[in-house]
Amino acid sequence: PGIEGYFYNFASDIVADDASHILTKAHEQKALSILQKNMRGAITRRQIKKQTAAVRVIQGAKRMWDVRKLHGKNGENANILKKWYGKHRAQQGKDKLEYRMARLQACFAGYEVRRDFHDMLHNVRKFQANFRGLRARRKIATLRNAAM
């Protein structure tokens, strides 16, 4: 700055004797930064791909270790677990059957109580009707005897 015949670009800090050279340098800088950004992205993607492959290997080994732990060296653990699960399922089935039977018995007991109550009401109504009829017949008989 202050010297004639030279151009200074404050944005990219470049001194040149030709103005077009400053613009060319700015374009080069921009192209270099874009290239650098793309290279960093490619390197990062390659690292992620390698890490993903390594994680898959580790997961496979862990899965194999879990299966060996579950089944034992020759499968004896799996048999133990199968027997335990079979007993567990049988107990669940028994509990479910007992629950269903209790519900059925409760429903039937409720039905019997309602039926007996209905029969009792029916008998009470019949008794009341018969008693009213008897009273009416006696009253009529008394009136008939008084009229004669």
Side-chain angles (χ1 to χ4, degrees):
I3 300 174
E4 296 294 325
Y6 288 99
F7 298 96
Y8 183 71
N9 186 349
F10 289 97
S12 57
D13 198 27
I14 296 172
V15 177
D17 58 352
D18 187 14
S20 65
H21 184 68
I22 290 176
L23 294 177
T24 306
K25 285 290 185 184
H27 288 301
E28 285 177 9
Q29 289 290 330
K30 188 172 183 177
L32 282 173
S33 68
I34 290 173
L35 182 65
Q36 200 175 30
K37 181 174 69 171
N38 288 336
M39 288 303 293
R40 275 196 307 263
I43 289 170
T44 303
R45 282 190 294 276
R46 188 176 299 140
Q47 282 179 342
I48 289 172
K49 196 180 287 185
K50 286 179 181 179
Q51 288 173 355
T52 304
V55 164
R56 285 188 179 150
V57 168
I58 291 169
Q59 286 174 343
K62 170 78 167 88
R63 200 176 308 120
M64 182 181 67
W65 185 75
D66 287 343
V67 168
R68 281 188 182 165
K69 183 178 172 186
L70 177 71
H71 294 293
K73 290 182 180 175
N74 55 6
E76 72 246 1
N77 293 354
N79 291 331
I80 292 169
L81 286 175
K82 283 178 188 175
K83 288 176 187 176
W84 174 85
Y85 186 67
K87 290 176 186 175
H88 175 69
R89 284 292 301 256
Q91 183 64 41
Q92 275 186 332
K94 182 183 171 199
D95 293 344
K96 196 181 286 186
L97 179 65
E98 287 175 354
Y99 172 76
R100 288 177 178 166
M101 291 304 296
R103 291 286 302 148
L104 182 65
Q105 288 170 353
C107 290
F108 186 72
Y111 167 74
E112 277 188 323
V113 167
R114 288 188 299 274
R115 185 185 64 196
D116 292 345
F117 186 71
H118 175 57
D119 290 345
M120 183 195 66
L121 286 180
H122 179 71
N123 292 337
V124 166
R125 284 189 207 113
K126 287 293 249 182
F127 178 78
Q128 288 174 344
N130 288 337
F131 187 74
R132 274 190 242 112
L134 178 67
R135 249 185 21 211
R137 284 190 296 278
R138 285 183 183 167
K139 189 175 182 181
I140 290 173
T142 308
L143 291 175
R144 199 178 287 157
N145 287 338
M148 289 196 190

